């Protein structure tokens, strides 16, 4: 009890008691994700600047108590803010929320780790900027830096978000501070506009790793196009699927499709529009295939529904690009619709009359296709409603999948941008999902010209007994069978960090050497993307962690009120 009290007292003296959280309600929330977790959290600390992050790391080293950094903690479906291992203090970086630098001409912004998508969007609007960011389908109050460090995928020409950042500010596990690229030099004029700098390129080792805490980075922005068009298409005939994928790959390789875009299957599309139709299915799961044709009518009857966007320098260029895309896709898609500002204005004019006649308000359609289209860099919370697919209660206005016990597990295999490879992976996913009584909820993230990152959502209700276990079993079998075919995930949940195959080389040895050099006390997010099972010599965590995690957790619960009063 005395030992833990000293740790928390040190954090309280540094950060103030308000920013050292030990109450049971907050701790329980931090231990909760959208799937079953057992990891115990000792406390939550909230530093307010980079210097305080450094001091917190020094305290962690002094007492050998590990810290687990998160930005805003909305990593829903991958583990939320729950640490990978027991006995960590969560370090929330949401108070580091400054927009440090911004340049309209060179199209960049420098942000701290707690800056959210919504905050940056409002900043650009306030400054009447002609720039836009790449947004994800996550909540508007989710962190930019946190998603980029997971190598997350956004919309638009800069959908590969990590490929469009530079100049990291990083607190190392020892408490030392570094800046990557040219940013390590005083008065470096190209620090915000050059990715590589001079010498070894280090930015990559701080993504999907536990080698440092990134407190700041520069993000490159995209100029608003002179002429923007969104377009959507549907595929009815599954026999043309492979040719359809290969056609898209060719369009992207030629540079005609410059943006990151998603192809949804019908289950994914339905789950973003409504909750599970319990009455139609007589309470049975998964959703029967024979009911799907009726639901598909809402978007033109497609088995697959694709999105796209054109960012053109003029209407003339946009019209030519539109014709080229229509010509290329007409063999495989049954419907393709383009939407621009002119069409949005026409629908806005007829909207009152249309609603009077049909009872249908076109506002949602106008917003989806144009006004609030994600491809224009406008964040939205709407996609989060998918997590409530199998919940019985209506989707709340203030969505929080962790709090509301939504079941959501993501699996994200990466496959070559090739119709045959995509088909092979889909067969594995669909067969296993149906066998475990889950809908094969699938999106194909077309980010680069050569690979597709598939996103498979296992969506369920955590309040139903046995569903957690069944969902995890489904995820694990699906992942292992995909790996056997060579389709390795590009991103992992916290529960799957030890599920990858053994590397064929000395990769594990290199990670071991880096971790021991940078983090000799193993205090930074132990177990997170460090693949210790592949190390030649296993890291003896207990050698550095001289008290029992179980005892510490019990001590915290017994003494939290007493400590808070000190």
């Amino acid at each position: 009890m005395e030992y833990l009290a000293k740790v928390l007292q040190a954090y309280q003296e540094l950060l103030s008691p308000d920013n050292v959280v030990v109450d049971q309600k907050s701790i329980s929330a931090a231990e909760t994700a959208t799937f079953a977790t057992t990891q115990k959290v000792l406390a939550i600390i909230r530093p307010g600047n980079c210097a305080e992050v450094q001091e917190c790391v020094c305290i962690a080293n002094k007492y050998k108590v590990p810290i687990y950094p998160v930005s805003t903690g909305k990593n829903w479906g991958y583990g939320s803010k729950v640490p990978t291992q027991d006995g960590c203090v969560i370090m929330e970086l949401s108070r580091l929320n400054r927009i440090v630098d911004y340049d309209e001409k060179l199209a960049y912004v420098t942000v701290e780790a707690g800056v959210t998508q919504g905050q940056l969007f409002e900043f650009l609007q306030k400054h009447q900027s002609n720039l836009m960011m790449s947004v994800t389908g996550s909540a508007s109050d989710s962190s930019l830096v946190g998603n980029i460090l997971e190598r997350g995928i956004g919309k638009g020409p800069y959908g590969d978000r990590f490929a469009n950042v530079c100049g990291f500010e990083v607190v190392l596990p020892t408490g030392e501070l570094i800046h990557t690229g040219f940013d390590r030099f005083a008065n470096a004029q190209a620090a915000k506009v050059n990715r590589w700098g001079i010498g070894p390129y280090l930015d990559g080792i701080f993504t999907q790793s536990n080698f440092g805490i990134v407190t700041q980075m520069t993000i490159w922005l995209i100029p608003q196009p002179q002429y923007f068009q969104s377009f959507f298409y549907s595929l009815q005939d599954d026999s043309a699927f492979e040719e359809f994928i290969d056609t898209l790959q060719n369009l992207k390789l030629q540079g005609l499709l410059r943006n990151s875009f998603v192809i949804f299957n019908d289950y994914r599309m339905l789950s973003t529009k409504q909750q599970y139709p319990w009455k139609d299915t007589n309470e049975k799961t998964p959703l029967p295939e024979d009911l799907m044709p009726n639901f598909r009518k809402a978007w033109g009857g497609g088995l697959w529904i694709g999105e796209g966007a054109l960012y053109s320098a003029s209407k003339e260029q946009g019209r030519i690009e539109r014709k080229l895309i229509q010509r290329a896709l007409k063999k495989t898609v049954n419907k393709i619709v383009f939407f621009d500002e002119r069409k949005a204005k026409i629908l806005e004019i007829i909207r009152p009359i249309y609603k009077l006649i049909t009872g249908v308000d076109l506002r949602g359609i106008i917003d989806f296709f144009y006004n609030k289209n994600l491809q224009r860099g406008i964040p939205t919370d709407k996609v989060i409603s998918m997590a409530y697919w199998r919940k019985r209660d209506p989707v709340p206005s203030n969505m929080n999948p962790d709090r509301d016990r939504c079941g959501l597990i993501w699996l994200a295999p990466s496959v070559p941008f090739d119709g045959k490879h995509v088909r092979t992976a889909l067969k594995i996913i669909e067969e296993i999902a149906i066998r475990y009584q889950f809908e094969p909820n699938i999106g194909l993230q077309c980010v680069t010209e050569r690979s597709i990152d598939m996103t498979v959502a296992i969506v369920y209700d955590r309040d139903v007994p046995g569903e957690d276990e069944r969902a995890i079993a489904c995820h694990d079998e699906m992942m292992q069978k995909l790996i056997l075919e060579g389709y390795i995930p590009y991103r992992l949940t916290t529960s799957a960090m030890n599920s990858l195959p053994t590397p064929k080389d000395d990769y594990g040895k290199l990670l071991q050497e880096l971790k021991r050099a940078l983090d000799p006390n193993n205090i930074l997010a132990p177990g997170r993307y460090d693949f210790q099972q592949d190390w030649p010599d296993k890291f003896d965590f207990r050698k550095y962690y001289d008290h029992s995690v179980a005892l510490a957790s019990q001590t915290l619960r017994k003494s939290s009120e007493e400590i808070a009063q000190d």
Side-chain angles (χ1 to χ4, degrees), residues 26 46 122 125 151 167 179 183 214 219 288 315 440 451 462:
S26 298
R46 295 170 177 156
E122 291 174 3
Q125 293 291 103
R151 299 202 283 270
H179 295 82
D183 212 25
V214 178
I219 301 172
K315 286 186 178 181
S451 69
R462 294 199 64 207

Side-chain angles (χ1 to χ4, degrees), residues 204-355:
I205 70 169
F206 299 113
T207 67
Q208 291 190 0
S209 80
N210 55 11
F211 293 151
I213 303 171
V214 178
T215 53
Q216 182 177 296
M217 71 169 57
T218 293
I219 301 172
W220 295 342
L221 303 175
I222 313 158
Q224 293 280 359
Q226 293 296 315
Y227 183 53
F228 173 82
Q229 300 173 86
S230 68
F231 62 95
F232 294 81
Y233 44 90
S234 60
L235 181 72
Q236 278 186 328
D237 187 356
D238 193 57
S239 65
F241 179 79
E242 292 178 24
E243 182 183 357
F244 163 68
I245 292 295
D246 291 340
T247 299
L248 288 173
Q249 190 268 340
N250 188 47
L251 289 171
K252 199 157 178 59
L253 193 62
Q254 291 177 358
L256 189 56
L257 296 178
R258 296 183 294 275
N259 64 312
S260 170
F261 58 91
V262 185
I263 309 166
F264 305 98
N265 77 342
D266 48 2
Y267 291 104
R268 171 68 60 84
M269 194 71 175
L270 183 61
S271 69
T272 63
K273 289 182 170 294
Q274 66 170 71
Q275 290 176 274
Y276 192 86
W278 293 105
K279 291 183 179 180
D280 295 331
T281 61
N282 293 320
E283 304 290 313
K284 294 181 179 180
T285 59
L287 183 60
E289 167 59 29
D290 59 6
L291 292 180
M292 287 305 292
N294 288 332
F295 292 116
R296 291 182 193 127
K297 291 178 181 178
W299 56 81
L303 294 167
W304 291 91
I305 304 89
E307 64 165 357
L310 294 175
Y311 304 80
S312 308
S314 66
K315 286 186 178 181
E316 291 75 18
Q317 178 187 347
R319 289 167 181 162
I320 293 172
E321 291 173 331
R322 182 168 63 205
K323 288 181 180 179
L324 291 172
I325 290 171
Q326 288 172 326
R327 185 185 305 165
L329 292 177
K330 68 179 182 180
K331 294 181 180 179
T332 55
V333 304
N334 66 293
K335 188 174 185 179
I336 182 166
V337 178
F338 284 80
F339 216 89
D340 60 7
E341 184 179 19
R342 177 176 174 273
K343 188 171 289 187
K345 287 181 177 179
I346 291 173
L347 289 184
E348 192 65 53
I349 292 171
I350 69 170
R351 180 178 156 226
I353 301 174
Y354 191 85
K355 184 176 182 180

Side-chain angles (χ1 to χ4, degrees), residues 50-305:
C50 181
E52 289 184 352
V53 173
Q54 289 180 271
E55 289 298 322
C56 287
V57 171
C58 291
I59 292 171
N61 275 286
K62 178 180 179 180
Y63 292 100
K64 308 297 189 294
V65 176
I67 53 178
Y68 190 86
V70 300
S71 294
T72 58
K74 292 179 172 60
N75 196 25
W76 293 319
Y78 288 105
S80 303
K81 63 177 67 173
V82 181
T84 311
Q85 293 185 2
D86 259 331
C88 291
V89 171
I90 292 178
M91 176 187 284
E92 288 187 359
L93 301 175
S94 56
R95 292 178 62 213
L96 277 72
N97 59 3
R98 294 184 307 142
I99 295 176
V100 178
D101 193 11
Y102 157 68
D103 191 300
E104 179 77 16
K105 181 178 184 297
L106 294 175
Y108 69 78
V109 63
T110 303
V111 301
E112 290 186 326
V115 173
T116 66
Q117 294 193 124
Q119 182 182 350
L120 179 53
F121 177 75
E122 291 174 3
F123 175 88
L124 295 174
Q125 293 291 103
K126 179 181 178 181
H127 286 77
Q128 298 181 329
S129 173
N130 188 48
L131 303 172
M132 69 179 194
M133 60 176 163
S134 170
V135 301
T136 70
S138 188
S140 59
D141 60 351
S142 62
S143 164
L144 290 162
V145 171
N147 178 264
I148 291 168
L149 294 180
E150 277 290 306
R151 299 202 283 270
I153 299 168
K155 301 283 188 178
Y158 291 178
D160 185 351
R161 297 177 113 192
F162 175 60
N164 293 281
V165 296
C166 67
F168 288 14
E169 178 183 80
V170 187
V171 176
L172 297 178
T174 55
E176 298 165 294
L177 183 70
I178 69 164
H179 295 82
T180 66
F182 283 129
D183 212 25
R184 73 183 192 271
F185 299 110
N187 200 36
Q189 299 300 314
K192 311 294 186 184
V193 295
N194 184 295
R195 277 191 74 191
W196 315 113
I198 184 74
Y201 176 70
L202 299 179
D203 297 42
I205 70 169
F206 299 113
T207 67
Q208 291 190 0
S209 80
N210 55 11
F211 293 151
I213 303 171
V214 178
T215 53
Q216 182 177 296
M217 71 169 57
T218 293
I219 301 172
W220 295 342
L221 303 175
I222 313 158
Q224 293 280 359
Q226 293 296 315
Y227 183 53
F228 173 82
Q229 300 173 86
S230 68
F231 62 95
F232 294 81
Y233 44 90
S234 60
L235 181 72
Q236 278 186 328
D237 187 356
D238 193 57
S239 65
F241 179 79
E242 292 178 24
E243 182 183 357
F244 163 68
I245 292 295
D246 291 340
T247 299
L248 288 173
Q249 190 268 340
N250 188 47
L251 289 171
K252 199 157 178 59
L253 193 62
Q254 291 177 358
L256 189 56
L257 296 178
R258 296 183 294 275
N259 64 312
S260 170
F261 58 91
V262 185
I263 309 166
F264 305 98
N265 77 342
D266 48 2
Y267 291 104
R268 171 68 60 84
M269 194 71 175
L270 183 61
S271 69
T272 63
K273 289 182 170 294
Q274 66 170 71
Q275 290 176 274
Y276 192 86
W278 293 105
K279 291 183 179 180
D280 295 331
T281 61
N282 293 320
E283 304 290 313
K284 294 181 179 180
T285 59
L287 183 60
E289 167 59 29
D290 59 6
L291 292 180
M292 287 305 292
N294 288 332
F295 292 116
R296 291 182 193 127
K297 291 178 181 178
W299 56 81
L303 294 167
W304 291 91
I305 304 89

